[in-house]
Amino acid sequence: MKQLKNIFYYLTLSIAAAFLLLMLAFFIPSKVNTIVTYDKLVIGGAFITSCIFGISLAIWPSWHKKLVISRNHGANRQQEQKTNRKHQGHHPDCNQFQNHIIRIKNKTYCAGCLGSSVGSVISIFFMIIYLIIASNHSSTTFHFFIILGLIIIGLTYIEIMLPKRYAVIHVISNIFLVIGFLLITIGIFEITGNRIYGLTYILISFLWLDTRIQLSNWRHGLICGDCTETCKVYQ
């Protein structure tokens, strides 16, 4: 019950943030032609730094357990000690979670973290291109960026909640999730011409990402609840 309340709380905040984004994008005057180079560099630097930070958490999820984004995976070692259940790719060594991991050259990776890392690398590349190339697109293009970004986030949430998971699809879903954050960041910054809005939605991307983690943990709990094993790592 507590987990469902947390999910409701996160989803409510995430939907509110999306609604505010649409209000800002469609109901304030466009200032596409007043972008200041310094502001653009600030947005790009903050986004790239966030991506690098996210990659570090995906590779070493427990390096800073106080961080919200890593708290769920960071508890793996404690859970392992309590349940005597080993972990692979950030997930319990259990047949029920085989579709949550992916194996590449005899190495096991968490499908979600791998996708997020690849998505972050791709987004860093495109952000650098955005910083280098002068933006001369119409506001319609950036409105499309925002709509597409929100659709990607919504589809990612739906994919997480599906009862059947496919590791490759989960990797792709998480790749596009970070790209969705990129589209929204560039879109709202270009439309408003205000770095504060851009920075705000970089921070809100962490909320959307944490909502995705909460939904994932909810699915993990359901899997453990239906399992006949006694370890119950996510219970």
Side-chain angles (χ1 to χ4, degrees), residues 16 95 138 192 231:
N95 289 333
S138 67
T192 63
C231 55

Side-chain angles (χ1 to χ4, degrees), residues 39-227:
D39 290 345
K40 192 174 180 180
L41 291 175
V42 169
I43 294 298
F47 186 86
I48 291 173
T49 300
S50 298
C51 285
I52 294 173
F53 181 66
I55 292 171
S56 73
L57 290 174
I59 298 175
W60 302 288
S62 59
W63 74 268
H64 200 319
K65 295 181 181 180
K66 292 182 180 180
L67 295 174
V68 175
I69 193 173
S70 66
R71 66 167 180 260
N72 300 298
H73 286 323
N76 279 351
R77 184 172 297 178
Q78 294 178 355
Q79 289 285 0
E80 186 173 323
Q81 293 174 349
K82 292 178 182 179
T83 64
N84 293 321
R85 171 68 72 179
K86 294 182 179 179
H87 284 74
Q88 53 180 359
H90 305 161
H91 290 86
D93 182 15
C94 172
N95 289 333
Q96 300 295 328
F97 288 93
Q98 291 305 301
N99 291 331
H100 295 242
I101 59 176
I102 191 166
R103 292 181 175 85
I104 302 175
K105 294 183 179 180
N106 297 322
K107 291 186 177 181
T108 303
Y109 302 93
C110 167
C113 290
L114 177 63
S116 297
S117 298
V118 174
S120 294
V121 172
I122 294 173
S123 295
I124 289 173
F125 173 74
F126 280 115
M127 178 57 82
I128 291 174
I129 292 178
Y130 167 71
L131 294 176
I132 295 174
I133 299 176
S135 175
N136 55 3
H137 299 288
S138 67
S139 61
T140 302
T141 300
F142 299 113
H143 283 106
F144 174 75
F145 277 13
I146 289 175
I147 295 297
L148 180 59
L150 290 177
I151 290 174
I152 290 173
I153 294 171
L155 290 177
T156 300
Y157 290 172
I158 292 173
E159 186 271 333
I160 290 172
M161 293 187 289
L162 292 176
K164 183 69 174 179
R165 175 167 295 182
Y166 299 92
V168 174
I169 294 178
H170 195 55
V171 171
I172 295 172
S173 173
N174 281 274
I175 289 174
F176 277 98
L177 178 64
V178 185
I179 294 175
F181 297 157
L182 171 70
L183 293 174
I184 288 172
T185 299
I186 293 177
I188 194 62
F189 173 62
E190 285 284 340
I191 290 171
T192 63
N194 191 324
R195 69 173 181 268
I196 300 300
Y197 289 131
L199 292 172
T200 297
Y201 272 89
I202 290 176
L203 292 176
I204 288 176
S205 293
F206 283 95
L207 166 65
W208 286 328
L209 181 59
D210 206 26
T211 300
R212 167 237 175 275
I213 293 173
Q214 295 297 322
L215 289 170
S216 182
N217 281 337
W218 170 69
R219 283 295 309 153
H220 293 165
L222 292 180
I223 292 172
C224 277
D226 293 336
C227 181

